[in-house]
Amino acid sequence: MPGPESATPLQAASGGVSGAAREPLIRARGLTKKFGTFVAVDAIDFDVAPGEAFGFLGPNGAGKTSTMRMIGAVSPRSGGDLSVLGTDPDKNGASIRARLGVVPQLDTLDTELTVLENLLIYGRYFDLSYAEARSRAMELLEFVQLNDRASSLVEPLSGGMKRRLTIARSLINEPDLLLLDEPTTGLDPQARHLVWDRLYRLKQRGTTLVLTTHYMDEAEQLCDRLVVMDKAKIVAEGSPRSLIEQYSTKEVLELRFPVGVQETLDGQLDGLGERVEKLPDRVLIYAADGEDVAAAAHERGLRPETSLVRRSSLEDVFLRLTGRSLIE
Amino acid sequence: MTGSAVTHVLPFGSRHSVHILERNRFIFRRGWMVIFSGFFEPLFYLLGIGFGLGSLIGTVAGPDGSQIPYAVFVAPALLATASMNGAVYDSTNMFFRLRYEKAYDGMLATPLNVGDIALGEVVWALGRGALYGLGFLAVMFAMGLVPSGMGIFALPASMLIGFATAAAGLVAVTFMRSWQDLDLLFVVTLPLFLFSGTFFPITTYPEPLRTIVEFSPLYRGVDLVRAMTTGVIGFTQLIDVLYLFAMGLLFVFIASRRMGKMLLK
Ligand SMILES: Nc1ncnc2c1ncn2[C@@H]1O[C@H](COP(=O)(O)OP(=O)(O)OP(=O)(O)O)[C@@H](O)[C@H]1O
Ligand SMILES: [Mg+2]
């Protein structure tokens, strides 16, 4: 019986030869996931183009992981249409998974095996020869800077090392589509930058990336396009830049007042900037020019403890869209 | 398409199951010593009960009714039990993998399906049972406890027992939630061990108890292995083989369904 590669209905790899109008690599229409009566993903629509880096941004419980698992052909959908690599994951799961790389939210490393064995056997799951699996494993260990831990068991590795191993493992089959569920959560800044750098290189090589994240900077660094999810729905879509332009202002003025003062300010902030957002610990004022607003506030006699002008970020977009901050 | 189409036609398992064996071999290479526990347990029973108690009992009625030494009667039953225990012991590993480890989730992100995992694990358990069986069978031959040349077929017979009981064990652990629940496995295997015609012929049971015992998988296994080592083979052994084979297939199927429910939510 031929391997999954030989006669699959899947379309050509992302770096396809023809310049013909490209089908999206992932296409979801009305995609829905229910757990019992609870709706975790509520009729969402999106397309991911070949070669694109696409992000799902949203708070805890928004439905990001549920969506990723449906794309990864390990969770049957409850409704709607979904096509991944040109075919239906509920019907041709194995042939889709043969071409995916998956970094799940929680590491699923094989803790009974060593670092190298994890990569070798994973290669075997994808029907690579041992020789091929070994040579790719060596390269990948280098790629994620774990070569000196090859014969270590998985358990004693640090969280960041496990994460890097998971990323290396997801690349063993040279996937056309890489699914990354919160790839850098829990990593220290150094490890995070290493991962970003590696993902950026993959993107350069034409690998399509789909990732979820809580982190604005991650989304801004890596994503060409993203959707903001909240309460099982997509609430906005666009490039990081265009979302900021659409839902926020160029700059933000952050004011912190001494304890107890912020509550007494009612009315005094009205009319400053384009929009005022009161958070429990600070006030955000959205404006094209933050310094102007800071000066205006000073004229009104406001004396904040600290005053900071910064560029608007996706965090502000999220706040605007949902009225809540992204990381509670 | 063909690969996955075939996988869809089969109720469980595909050629990918082989990779589960390869995975377990990695682990086995480091921990092959465990094989001894599975070998010595039946040996101690054989020395203590087969020969020790056997010296008081003398002979019992064998499968064809003729009198045979007690050790010759008990040894094949111990072989069958060792296969069962080895397989059930392996299913506790699967419990760990299913509940506490995420390795199965990792496998399911590849072309492997739940059926591949279930079949691969059961075949592995069977192979391990066969290793125990081989060692013990060699001891039986050496001690002159195998009157028939057909005795070598006790090995495939014990593999069949391993297949059926590993599959049943895998189904059982999919229902278990904690380590304490694993004790339930021994609540089942111990009475099976004691009452499946292992230590005394089931003709000593009154009806309907006797009929009930005849439905026990270990009884079918003991009957099969004893028939091979004593060379008294008949139609009943066909039933034994069919029973155990069908039981294995059915339980692998159920196990892969259960694992699908647990892991592919
Ligand atoms: N197996 C399950 N059974 C029942 N409910 C579930 C299951 N998996 C997820 N949910 C629920 O579905 C909702 C969405 O969960 P999901 O894991 O997709 O969120 P998420 O956006 O990935 O969140 P996080 O940022 O915390 O990872 C949550 O309310 C969660 O409790
Ligand atoms: Mg999640």
Coordinates of all heavy atoms in Angstrom, one line a residue, chain A residues 1 121 124-125 127, chain B residues 7 10 12-25 107 110-124 252 256:
Chain A
M1 N 0.9 -1.2 0.0 CA 0.0 0.0 0.0 C 0.9 1.2 0.0 O 1.8 1.3 0.8 CB -0.9 -0.2 1.2 CG -1.0 0.9 2.2 SD -2.2 0.5 3.5 CE -1.6 -1.1 4.2
I121 N 12.2 8.8 16.5 CA 10.9 8.0 16.4 C 9.8 8.9 15.8 O 9.0 8.4 15.0 CB 10.5 7.5 17.8 CG1 9.4 6.4 17.6 CG2 9.8 8.6 18.7 CD1 10.0 5.1 16.9
R124 N 10.2 8.5 12.3 CA 9.6 7.2 11.9 C 8.1 7.2 11.7 O 7.5 6.6 10.8 CB 10.1 6.1 12.9 CG 11.5 5.8 12.9 CD 12.0 5.1 11.6 NE 11.4 3.8 11.4 CZ 11.1 3.2 10.2 NH1 11.5 3.9 9.1 NH2 10.6 2.1 10.1
Y125 N 7.5 8.0 12.6 CA 6.0 8.1 12.5 C 5.6 8.7 11.2 O 4.6 8.4 10.6 CB 5.4 9.0 13.6 CG 5.6 8.5 15.1 CD1 5.6 9.3 16.1 CD2 5.8 7.1 15.3 CE1 5.7 8.9 17.4 CE2 5.9 6.7 16.6 CZ 5.9 7.5 17.7 OH 6.0 7.1 19.0
D127 N 7.3 8.0 8.5 CA 7.8 7.1 7.6 C 9.2 7.5 7.0 O 9.5 7.1 5.8 CB 6.8 6.8 6.4 CG 5.6 6.0 6.9 OD1 5.8 5.2 7.8 OD2 4.5 6.3 6.4
Chain B
T7 N -6.9 2.6 5.6 CA -7.0 2.8 7.1 C -8.4 3.0 7.5 O -8.8 2.6 8.5 CB -6.1 4.0 7.5 OG1 -4.9 4.0 6.9 CG2 -5.9 4.1 9.0
L10 N -10.3 -0.5 7.4 CA -10.0 -1.3 8.6 C -10.6 -0.7 9.8 O -10.5 0.5 10.0 CB -8.4 -1.4 8.8 CG -7.6 -2.2 7.9 CD1 -6.2 -2.1 8.2 CD2 -8.1 -3.7 7.9
F12 N -9.3 -0.8 12.7 CA -8.3 -0.3 13.6 C -6.9 -0.7 12.9 O -6.9 -1.7 12.2 CB -8.3 -1.0 15.0 CG -8.4 -2.4 14.9 CD1 -7.2 -3.2 14.8 CD2 -9.6 -3.1 15.0 CE1 -7.2 -4.5 14.7 CE2 -9.6 -4.5 14.9 CZ -8.4 -5.2 14.8
G13 N -5.9 0.1 13.3 CA -4.5 -0.3 12.9 C -4.2 -0.2 11.5 O -5.1 -0.3 10.6
S14 N -2.9 -0.1 11.2 CA -2.4 -0.1 9.8 C -1.0 -0.4 9.9 O -0.4 -0.6 11.0 CB -2.6 1.3 9.2 OG -1.7 2.2 9.7
R15 N -0.3 -0.3 8.8 CA 1.2 -0.6 8.9 C 1.9 0.3 9.8 O 3.0 0.0 10.3 CB 1.8 -0.5 7.4 CG 1.8 0.9 6.9 CD 1.9 1.0 5.4 NE 1.5 2.3 5.0 CZ 2.3 3.3 5.0 NH1 3.6 3.2 5.4 NH2 1.9 4.5 4.6
H16 N 1.3 1.5 10.1 CA 2.0 2.4 11.0 C 2.1 1.9 12.4 O 2.9 2.4 13.2 CB 1.2 3.7 11.1 CG 1.4 4.6 9.9 ND1 2.6 5.2 9.6 CD2 0.5 5.0 8.9 CE1 2.4 5.9 8.4 NE2 1.2 5.8 8.0
S17 N 1.3 0.8 12.7 CA 1.4 0.2 14.1 C 2.8 -0.2 14.4 O 3.3 -0.2 15.6 CB 0.5 -1.0 14.2 OG -0.8 -0.7 13.9
V18 N 3.6 -0.6 13.4 CA 5.0 -1.0 13.5 C 5.8 0.0 14.3 O 6.7 -0.3 15.1 CB 5.6 -1.3 12.2 CG1 7.1 -1.6 12.3 CG2 4.9 -2.4 11.5
H19 N 5.5 1.3 14.0 CA 6.3 2.3 14.7 C 6.1 2.3 16.2 O 7.0 2.8 16.9 CB 5.9 3.7 14.1 CG 6.1 3.8 12.6 ND1 7.2 3.3 12.0 CD2 5.4 4.4 11.7 CE1 7.1 3.5 10.7 NE2 6.0 4.2 10.5
I20 N 5.0 1.9 16.7 CA 4.8 1.8 18.1 C 5.8 0.7 18.7 O 6.4 0.9 19.8 CB 3.4 1.4 18.5 CG1 2.4 2.4 17.9 CG2 3.1 1.3 20.0 CD1 2.5 3.8 18.4
L21 N 6.0 -0.4 17.9 CA 6.9 -1.4 18.4 C 8.3 -0.8 18.4 O 9.1 -1.0 19.3 CB 6.9 -2.6 17.4 CG 5.5 -3.3 17.2 CD1 5.7 -4.5 16.3 CD2 4.9 -3.6 18.5
E22 N 8.7 0.0 17.4 CA 10.0 0.6 17.4 C 10.2 1.5 18.5 O 11.3 1.6 19.2 CB 10.2 1.4 16.1 CG 10.1 0.6 14.8 CD 10.1 1.4 13.6 OE1 10.7 2.5 13.6 OE2 9.6 1.0 12.6
R23 N 9.1 2.3 18.9 CA 9.2 3.2 20.0 C 9.5 2.4 21.3 O 10.4 2.7 22.1 CB 7.9 4.0 20.1 CG 7.9 4.8 21.4 CD 6.5 5.2 21.8 NE 6.5 6.0 23.0 CZ 6.3 5.4 24.2 NH1 6.0 4.2 24.3 NH2 6.3 6.2 25.3
N24 N 8.7 1.4 21.5 CA 8.8 0.6 22.8 C 10.2 -0.1 22.8 O 10.7 -0.3 23.9 CB 7.7 -0.4 22.9 CG 6.4 0.3 23.2 OD1 6.4 1.5 23.4 ND2 5.3 -0.4 23.1
R25 N 10.7 -0.4 21.7 CA 12.0 -1.1 21.7 C 13.1 -0.1 22.2 O 14.0 -0.5 22.9 CB 12.4 -1.5 20.3 CG 13.5 -2.5 20.3 CD 14.0 -2.8 18.9 NE 14.4 -1.5 18.3 CZ 14.5 -1.3 17.0 NH1 14.2 -2.2 16.1 NH2 14.9 -0.1 16.5
M107 N 1.9 11.5 19.3 CA 1.8 10.5 18.1 C 0.6 10.8 17.2 O 0.7 10.7 16.0 CB 1.6 9.1 18.6 CG 2.7 8.5 19.4 SD 2.3 7.0 20.1 CE 3.7 6.7 21.3
T110 N 0.7 13.0 14.1 CA 1.4 12.5 13.0 C 0.4 11.6 12.2 O -0.7 11.5 12.6 CB 2.6 11.6 13.4 OG1 2.1 10.4 13.9 CG2 3.4 12.3 14.5
P111 N 0.8 11.0 11.1 CA -0.1 10.2 10.4 C -0.7 9.0 11.2 O -1.6 8.3 10.8 CB 0.7 9.6 9.2 CG 1.7 10.7 9.0 CD 2.1 11.2 10.3
L112 N -0.2 8.7 12.4 CA -0.7 7.6 13.2 C -2.2 7.9 13.6 O -2.5 9.0 13.9 CB 0.1 7.4 14.4 CG 1.3 6.4 14.3 CD1 2.3 6.8 13.3 CD2 2.0 6.2 15.7
N113 N -2.9 6.8 13.7 CA -4.3 6.9 14.2 C -4.4 6.2 15.6 O -3.5 5.4 15.9 CB -5.3 6.3 13.3 CG -5.4 7.1 12.0 OD1 -5.5 8.3 12.0 ND2 -5.4 6.4 10.9
V114 N -5.5 6.4 16.3 CA -5.6 5.7 17.6 C -5.6 4.2 17.4 O -5.0 3.4 18.2 CB -7.0 6.0 18.3 CG1 -6.8 7.3 19.1 CG2 -8.1 6.1 17.3
G115 N -6.1 3.7 16.3 CA -6.1 2.2 16.0 C -4.6 1.7 15.9 O -4.3 0.6 16.3
D116 N -3.8 2.5 15.2 CA -2.4 2.1 15.1 C -1.7 2.0 16.5 O -0.9 1.1 16.7 CB -1.6 3.2 14.3 CG -2.2 3.4 12.9 OD1 -2.7 2.5 12.4 OD2 -2.1 4.5 12.4
I117 N -2.1 2.9 17.3 CA -1.5 2.9 18.7 C -2.0 1.7 19.4 O -1.2 0.9 20.0 CB -1.8 4.2 19.5 CG1 -1.2 5.4 18.7 CG2 -1.2 4.1 20.9 CD1 -1.6 6.7 19.4
A118 N -3.3 1.5 19.4 CA -3.9 0.3 20.2 C -3.3 -1.0 19.7 O -2.8 -1.8 20.4 CB -5.4 0.3 20.0
L119 N -3.3 -1.1 18.4 CA -2.8 -2.4 17.8 C -1.3 -2.6 18.1 O -0.8 -3.6 18.5 CB -3.0 -2.5 16.3 CG -2.6 -3.8 15.6 CD1 -3.5 -4.9 16.2 CD2 -2.8 -3.7 14.1
G120 N -0.5 -1.5 17.9 CA 0.9 -1.5 18.2 C 1.2 -1.9 19.6 O 2.1 -2.8 19.9
E121 N 0.5 -1.3 20.6 CA 0.7 -1.6 22.0 C 0.4 -3.0 22.3 O 1.1 -3.7 23.1 CB -0.1 -0.6 22.9 CG 0.4 0.8 22.9 CD 1.7 1.0 23.7 OE1 2.4 0.1 23.9 OE2 1.9 2.2 24.1
V122 N -0.7 -3.5 21.7 CA -1.1 -4.9 22.1 C -0.2 -5.9 21.5 O 0.2 -6.9 22.1 CB -2.6 -5.1 21.6 CG1 -2.9 -6.6 21.6 CG2 -3.6 -4.3 22.4
V123 N 0.3 -5.6 20.3 CA 1.3 -6.5 19.7 C 2.6 -6.5 20.4 O 3.2 -7.6 20.6 CB 1.5 -6.2 18.2 CG1 2.7 -7.0 17.6 CG2 0.3 -6.5 17.4
W124 N 3.0 -5.4 20.9 CA 4.2 -5.3 21.8 C 4.0 -6.1 23.0 O 4.9 -6.9 23.4 CB 4.4 -3.8 22.2 CG 5.6 -3.7 23.1 CD1 5.5 -3.6 24.5 CD2 7.0 -3.8 22.8 NE1 6.7 -3.6 25.0 CE2 7.7 -3.7 24.0 CE3 7.7 -3.9 21.6 CZ2 9.1 -3.7 24.1 CZ3 9.1 -3.9 21.7 CH2 9.7 -3.8 22.9
V252 N -9.2 -4.9 20.8 CA -8.4 -3.9 20.2 C -9.3 -2.8 19.5 O -9.1 -1.6 19.6 CB -7.4 -4.4 19.1 CG1 -6.7 -3.3 18.3 CG2 -6.4 -5.3 19.7
S256 N -9.4 1.1 20.6 CA -9.1 2.2 19.7 C -10.3 3.2 19.7 O -10.1 4.4 19.7 CB -8.7 1.8 18.3 OG -9.8 1.2 17.7

